[in-house]
Amino acid sequence: MFKALADPTRRLMLDELSERREQTLYELTARLIMRHEVAISRQAMAKHIAVLEKAGIVSSEKRGKFRMLVFNDEPIRGVMNRWLT
């Protein structure tokens, strides 16, 4: 969990996914570029997504020819509830 949250690019990705819980990989990449001026390759996005998936914060599934990313805030809420309450 903490490794996933440690990287500023991954935090931006989560910020964008928290606004719209489901986005295609293309939509998320476009939002990072347009809103945050993040220059990122497809390979870098894939690596960031893999870290977020391993932490359980993001899941992905193929829908037709698109890869849909789905935000899951439960792991973050669990850490917050455990340590901050």
Side-chain angles (χ1 to χ4, degrees):
M1 167 71 70
F2 293 107
K3 178 181 178 181
L5 298 175
D7 185 272
T9 301
R10 286 193 289 270
R11 288 193 305 269
L12 286 175
M13 292 169 72
L14 292 174
D15 286 344
E16 291 300 323
L17 285 167
S18 70
E19 287 184 23
R20 285 186 42 221
R21 298 184 79 81
E22 293 188 11
Q23 296 181 47
T24 65
L25 180 57
Y26 176 81
E27 289 171 325
L28 179 59
T29 304
R31 289 171 69 103
L32 289 174
I33 292 168
M34 301 287 277
R35 296 175 104 189
H36 305 285
E37 298 179 1
V38 173
I40 190 164
S41 68
R42 292 174 68 183
Q43 294 81 8
M45 280 294 285
K47 288 181 181 181
H48 286 304
I49 291 167
V51 172
L52 294 171
E53 285 181 317
K54 186 174 181 180
I57 304 170
V58 171
S59 62
S60 66
E61 58 188 57
K62 290 287 275 185
R63 291 189 189 165
K65 59 183 176 177
F66 299 104
R67 184 174 180 191
M68 186 64 68
L69 302 173
V70 181
F71 178 61
N72 175 20
D73 63 356
E74 286 303 315
I76 297 170
R77 288 181 187 273
V79 169
M80 287 177 45
N81 288 337
R82 182 174 175 196
W83 286 357
L84 299 177
T85 58

